[in-house]
Amino acid sequence: MQTAEASITQKITAEEILNDYRIGWESRQASLAGRKEVFMGKAKFGIFGDGKEVAQLAMAKYFQNGDFRSGYYRDQTFMFAIGELTLQQYFAQLYAHTDVEAEPSTAGRAMNGHFGTRSLDDEGQWKNLMEQKNSSSDISPTAAQMPRLVGLAYASKLYRQNPDLQNLKNFSVNGNEVAFGTIGNASTSEGMFFEAINAGGVLQIPMLVSVWDDGYGISVPAEYQTTKGSISEILAGFQRNSEGEQGYEIFKVKGWDYTALCEAYEAAVRVCREQHVPVLVHVEEVTQPQGHSTSGSHERYKSKERLEWEAEFDCLKKMREWIIDSEIATAEQLDQIEADAKETVRAARSNAWSEFSAAIKEDHEEALKLLDELAAASDHITEVATIAEELRKTSTPIRSDAVRAVRKALRYVRDENNAAKRDLIGWLEQAMGENADRFNSYLFSQSDESVLQVEEVKPEFDENSPVVDGREVLQACFDAMLARDPRVFAIGEDVGFIGDVNQAFAGLQEKYGELRVTDTGIRECTIIGQGIGAALRGLRPITEIQYLDYLLYAIQILSDDVACLQYRTKGGQKAPLIVRTRGHRLEGIWHSGSPIGMILNSIRGMHVLVPRDMTQAAGFYNTLLKSDEPALVIECLNGYRLKERIPNNIAEFTVPLGQPEILKQGTDITVVTYGSMCRIVLEAVKQLEEFGISVEVIDVQTLLPFDIDHVITDSIRKTNRVLFADEDVPGGATAYMMQQVVDGQGAWRWLDSKPQCLSAHAHRPPYSSDGDYFSKPNAEDVFEAVYEIMNEADPKSYPTIY
């Protein structure tokens, strides 16, 4: 473990030092001003980076074009220092300005302190990331920035070691890019932190982790957070003892010691950049002058002695003392810098508020004008005028105030027909459309590479198409993907040497090398993070979660990071990650493989594909590789040994998303299902035919997106009855499908019988084939569910069985 010694380095000029001091003071004043804005009601919430300024100034000195940050909401000074955040943008985010030009990090979609740079142009295409300093888009969950950090650093390793990637100059220069991660000391207690640290050490990647240690996690002191009270002490075993040994370099440095911080970061970044060795920089004795956030006060839980120490060791105070003692500047000069900083912040805050409120004011005044006109023309003048007056009294209006008032007013004039009402309806329609763009757009890609823009290419077969195990169809597909696109790589437990537990990658590591087909440890969360970070840097990872049940280890990262990435950046960043897993019909409590409802409700913003066989899965993989969107592909666990034909165009054919397939035509009832249930339903349908019941069977194929062209409703229009079947728990994916069809598609109009669901039992299946039979739907269950619906419709033709 290295302890940086404080000494004046000749590499930093007086001008640079004073510029750093200016940035630090502007950042501090921004924090103070931001807190006041919240308490004045001009912003909802505030969380700030005061107390961490000097450490972040030092770190920023060694952050180069092409480097990536994966940090958290205390890093405002760093963002100011690298030139990727202006003071006006800082306040625009505090106010939630929805203009992406004013607030480029999130377009007002995330609270303040959530930083990000725009990796994509207005068309959704990659910029040259080597010409800018990059920050991946922040998220709030503690330590959740760490899995992504692993991937950002891992991409540098791939770019350096894989010669086939050398031509991708917009994404890397020989893998020299360092991934900078930041985290608070309390968040190092999270499992994601330890998993990421271990993964970084195993992979030996240029990952530089800075821990801002202020001794607390909100109100909880370090002794309740960290063994020995020191993260660097408990991670000391990761320290490499010689240059040839794998491990970390670990630095400890005081957060108020400017020169020691500069020396520490200079050394740390050099090790990362040149040697691809991960580094931990433990920055101790930082402070948090305003407490955790505007939600509370730190005076409630810090002792008088602690508060006095924090005032004495405030990093900007100590930097000022050092500058004066070193005769770099006089007290009077620093006083002027501080005064100028305060005025600069005041002007930026005023400009940000003026720009934020101006557009809202325009809408507000237009709505008032139209309401006044409606009142004058309406028989309900009192009601409409009262609504207008209430809106007029709103001191700091937001967009919803005007929309709410207009919608209320239109209730009273519902039976009237005049020009004023038509004008108001026109205003409302336009406002709702504009606000849909501000607040509801970019859940998915809106670029030309959207998955819905990928052209369908049918699989081609002839008499010579070989009949093979399903796994061999996938193997041929992955072989072709790896051959045609050097950006593609696959990682996961057992994926490499043995070619995954079901052999879909068998022999491909030997053919393409360990960089392309790679084993990982048992660490689902950071397998996904490794893929997210690499995808953010232009690569095309396939990350495997060995069984669907294990997705729970990674669901938080999928939900909070990749699924909402396009949304929270309003199309500014993308991570086209393919997550591969397998589920359905395996036996056992922890291998039941069908928590679909949980997945659907957690990862909106990703596509969820549920192919019934490996040919469909292969087509989906080809489709996804042509798109710029993330997806989860759930293969059927019991399908790898079933026989299928390999398409002659295995590398080219695609399966469109959101397009169900009718597996069997029928006239009496529609059964909607997916995955392994398709085979069970088709088996039951054969039995039902013996009793004169004609069943139309539809495989939805993808749950997100779901039946874009309303194929299912077209079927119900013919059959007038429907059963939704799957093996999730009751109220899970069957309820989702019913809502999509009956409510969303309006299929209720065509139903002559109550729509019904057939699902598994509420518990997980016990081990054994009997456990599976009595826990999940089987052919007999499907038969009886369909028969019961037909019995209710025509009891004479279909008398009760039991």
Side-chain angles (χ1 to χ4, degrees):
M1 186 180 299
Q2 301 186 28
T3 302
E5 297 294 334
S7 62
I8 297 176
T9 171
Q10 299 302 312
K11 299 176 183 177
I12 306 175
T13 66
E15 183 180 5
E16 288 178 297
I17 292 167
L18 294 179
N19 187 55
D20 280 350
Y21 188 71
R22 175 189 61 79
I23 294 170
W25 261 97
E26 288 177 350
S27 183
R28 177 65 61 87
Q29 291 300 314
S31 295
L32 293 168
R35 188 176 182 87
K36 290 178 182 177
E37 295 298 271
V38 174
F39 291 149
M40 288 176 63
K42 293 166 74 175
K44 287 180 68 174
F45 177 79
I47 194 161
F48 309 107
D50 43 328
K52 285 76 177 170
E53 293 93 349
V54 173
Q56 292 180 26
L57 291 167
M59 182 171 70
K61 287 186 171 302
Y62 306 100
F63 192 88
Q64 298 180 2
N65 281 0
D67 288 344
F68 259 90
R69 166 190 169 273
S70 182
Y72 79 129
Y73 39 74
R74 303 292 184 196
D75 290 347
Q76 68 194 49
T77 307
F78 177 79
M79 296 299 293
F80 290 143
I82 65 171
E84 294 297 337
L85 178 71
T86 68
L87 285 163
Q88 189 163 327
Q89 289 168 347
Y90 170 86
F91 284 105
Q93 188 175 71
L94 185 71
Y95 302 137
H97 198 150
T98 56
D99 186 336
V100 75
E101 296 298 323
E103 203 280 88
S105 291
T106 76
R109 296 182 176 190
M111 67 184 183
N112 83 298
H114 288 66
F115 309 115
T117 52
R118 302 195 74 76
S119 302
L120 310 178
D121 63 21
D122 292 340
E123 304 302 317
Q125 302 302 309
W126 291 106
K127 295 180 179 180
N128 186 339
L129 301 185
M130 295 299 98
E131 294 180 349
Q132 64 184 45
K133 295 179 172 67
N134 302 287
S135 173
S136 58
S137 176
D138 290 345
I139 56 179
S140 282
T142 54
Q145 69 271 32
M146 294 298 297
R148 180 202 323 137
L149 176 66
V150 174
L152 291 169
Y154 183 66
S156 288
K157 179 176 181 175
L158 295 181
Y159 280 121
R160 178 170 290 184
Q161 296 187 14
N162 183 354
D164 293 333
L165 298 175
Q166 294 298 310
N167 64 321
L168 298 175
K169 300 298 185 183
N170 287 359
F171 296 100
S172 181
V173 178
N174 196 37
N176 292 332
E177 303 76 35
V178 173
F180 288 68
T182 63
I183 189 168
N185 58 290
S187 295
T188 63
S189 300
E190 292 276 13
M192 286 181 287
F193 172 80
F194 285 100
E195 189 174 312
I197 289 292
N198 184 59
V202 169
L203 294 168
Q204 288 293 280
I205 49 180
M207 183 173 94
L208 195 159
V209 181
S210 296
V211 179
W212 311 139
D213 190 347
D214 68 354
Y216 288 84
I218 306 185
S219 66
V220 181
E223 56 263 34
Y224 291 97
Q225 303 275 4
T226 310
T227 303
K228 299 184 178 181
S230 170
I231 191 63
S232 58
E233 291 298 323
I234 63 174
L235 293 179
F238 284 80
Q239 171 71 53
R240 61 178 188 163
N241 296 316
S242 64
E243 281 210 2
E245 183 182 34
Q246 287 198 349
Y248 274 73
E249 283 298 324
I250 301 177
F251 294 80
K252 288 176 67 173
V253 62
K254 307 300 184 186
W256 45 264
D257 191 335
Y258 177 77
T259 56
L261 285 160
C262 289
E263 290 184 348
Y265 277 107
E266 181 184 39
V269 172
R270 186 187 308 115
V271 169
C272 264
R273 201 179 302 282
E274 296 176 2
Q275 301 178 39
H276 275 200
V277 170
V279 176
L280 176 77
V281 180
H282 183 192
V283 183
E284 301 177 294
E285 297 187 13
V286 298
T287 63
Q288 205 152 282
Q290 296 189 93
H292 177 264
S293 69
T294 53
S295 292
S297 169
H298 64 152
E299 285 87 355
R300 292 163 47 207
Y301 54 85
K302 289 179 182 175
S303 67
K304 177 184 176 183
E305 293 74 19
R306 172 69 189 194
L307 291 170
E308 289 174 349
W309 179 88
E310 290 195 8
E312 176 63 25
F313 282 84
D314 181 275
C315 62
L316 289 175
K317 178 178 182 292
K318 300 296 284 186
M319 186 177 181
R320 176 188 171 99
E321 292 172 356
W322 171 76
I323 290 173
I324 294 171
D325 291 344
S326 302
E327 299 182 348
I328 295 168
T330 65
E332 290 75 19
Q333 289 173 309
L334 297 184
D335 288 343
Q336 187 61 53
I337 288 174
E338 293 169 18
D340 291 346
K342 191 170 185 178
E343 178 56 28
T344 301
V345 168
R346 187 205 63 76
R349 180 190 62 187
S350 177
N351 291 339
W353 178 255
S354 294
E355 288 193 7
F356 168 72
S357 56
I360 295 176
K361 184 179 180 181
E362 185 178 329
D363 280 356
H364 182 77
E365 291 178 348
E366 179 66 14
L368 279 171
K369 173 178 171 289
L370 293 172
L371 285 168
D372 289 341
E373 291 175 357
L374 180 64
S378 173
D379 294 335
H380 295 275
I381 182 172
T382 302
E383 293 90 342
V384 176
T386 299
I387 291 170
E389 186 59 27
E390 289 176 353
L391 181 62
R392 191 171 278 109
K393 290 178 180 178
T394 306
S395 58
T396 54
I398 57 178
R399 295 187 186 279
S400 58
D401 291 327
V403 171
R404 184 181 290 111
V406 168
R407 294 173 76 178
K408 287 181 177 178
L410 287 170
R411 298 172 188 171
Y412 290 102
V413 298
R414 61 192 183 278
D415 294 328
E416 298 181 5
N417 184 15
N418 54 56
K421 176 185 174 181
R422 290 192 292 274
D423 288 345
L424 197 60
I425 290 173
W427 179 92
L428 179 62
E429 290 174 347
Q430 180 176 334
M432 294 299 281
E434 291 171 349
N435 285 312
D437 175 69
R438 291 183 182 110
F439 302 109
N440 309 125
S441 59
Y442 284 97
L443 178 62
F444 295 101
S445 171
Q446 296 181 199
S447 78
D448 291 340
E449 295 178 271
S450 161
V451 75
L452 299 181
Q453 301 298 320
V454 177
E455 184 179 354
E456 180 181 10
V457 178
K458 295 284 188 182
E460 298 174 358
F461 303 95
D462 58 33
E463 64 274 8
N464 296 317
S465 300
V467 177
V468 298
D469 289 346
R471 68 173 183 83
E472 295 178 74
V473 177
L474 286 177
Q475 183 187 33
C477 172
F478 293 143
D479 190 357
M481 289 173 71
L482 290 161
R484 72 177 179 268
D485 192 339
R487 300 173 303 161
V488 174
F489 67 92
I491 62 171
E493 300 157 24
D494 300 305
V495 164
F497 185 71
I498 68 169
D500 94 39
V501 292
N502 294 103
Q503 298 290 280
F505 280 97
L508 298 185
Q509 184 183 83
E510 183 178 2
K511 184 174 182 179
Y512 294 100
E514 287 191 43
L515 287 176
R516 303 291 303 284
V517 184
T518 307
D519 286 317
T520 70
I522 301 176
R523 49 175 182 85
E524 287 80 9
C525 176
T526 50
I527 289 173
I528 296 300
Q530 198 170 331
I532 295 171
L536 280 165
R537 294 191 57 191
L539 298 174
R540 296 308 308 265
I542 302 172
T543 55
E544 178 174 309
I545 302 298
Q546 197 162 90
Y547 295 106
L548 186 59
D549 308 82
Y550 301 162
L551 199 71
L552 271 71
Y553 287 100
I555 199 73
Q556 185 268 325
I557 289 297
L558 289 170
S559 179
D560 288 327
D561 201 346
V562 67
C564 64
L565 177 64
Q566 286 246 2
Y567 174 78
R568 72 177 186 269
T569 61
K570 201 180 182 186
Q573 294 184 6
K574 62 183 176 183
L577 171 68
I578 298 174
V579 181
R580 175 189 183 229
T581 188
R582 53 191 66 86
H584 315 300
R585 305 314 298 192
L586 193 63
E587 295 135 357
I589 291 172
W590 293 283
H591 290 83
S592 52
S594 300
I596 306 296
M598 175 198 71
I599 292 167
L600 290 172
N601 291 318
S602 298
I603 62 172
R604 298 297 173 98
M606 292 184 71
H607 298 299
V608 178
L609 319 185
V610 283
R612 68 181 178 274
D613 58 33
M614 302 311 159
T615 302
Q616 297 299 95
F620 282 142
Y621 286 122
N622 287 338
T623 299
L624 292 172
L625 196 60
K626 291 177 179 291
S627 82
D628 62 357
E629 299 187 63
L632 171 68
V633 183
I634 306 170
E635 299 165 8
C636 293
L637 235 173
N638 57 2
Y640 295 108
R641 304 298 178 195
L642 298 180
K643 299 299 182 182
E644 299 182 39
R645 288 188 298 166
I646 296 183
N648 299 339
N649 57 341
I650 187 66
E652 293 83 27
F653 88 99
T654 59
V655 176
L657 275 61
Q659 302 291 330
E661 183 175 348
I662 299 175
L663 302 183
K664 184 185 178 301
Q665 298 279 349
T667 56
D668 292 328
I669 186 172
T670 301
V671 177
V672 180
T673 191
Y674 61 85
S676 290
M677 277 294 294
C678 291
R679 288 190 291 275
I680 291 169
V681 168
L682 289 171
E683 179 184 344
V685 165
K686 290 180 181 178
Q687 299 172 21
L688 286 160
E689 287 177 340
E690 297 178 27
F691 293 81
I693 299 174
S694 174
V695 181
E696 184 141 298
V697 181
I698 298 180
D699 173 13
V700 301
Q701 299 201 96
T702 68
L703 290 162
L704 293 174
F706 185 88
D707 190 9
I708 294 171
D709 296 327
H710 296 190
V711 170
I712 298 169
T713 292
D714 288 343
S715 174
I716 292 171
R717 187 181 288 114
K718 174 177 60 175
T719 66
N720 308 119
R721 299 173 186 86
V722 65
L723 173 70
F724 299 95
D726 90 332
E727 50 184 284
D728 197 0
V729 298
T734 49
Y736 163 78
M737 293 191 291
M738 180 185 285
Q739 183 275 328
Q740 291 284 302
V741 174
V742 177
D743 181 18
Q745 298 182 8
W748 57 271
R749 298 181 183 89
W750 313 103
L751 288 170
D752 292 337
S753 298
K754 180 181 73 172
Q756 295 195 34
C757 295
L758 176 63
S759 62
H761 286 260
H763 60 76
R764 301 184 185 193
Y767 177 66
S768 81
S769 295
D770 277 344
D772 179 63
Y773 182 87
F774 291 106
S775 299
K776 291 189 174 184
N778 52 61
E780 290 71 40
D781 292 332
V782 175
F783 181 101
E784 291 172 9
V786 170
Y787 190 91
E788 183 180 343
I789 294 171
M790 299 305 298
N791 165 258
E792 185 270 336
D794 185 359
K796 183 176 180 180
S797 300
Y798 307 104
T800 302
I801 297 175
Y802 301 117

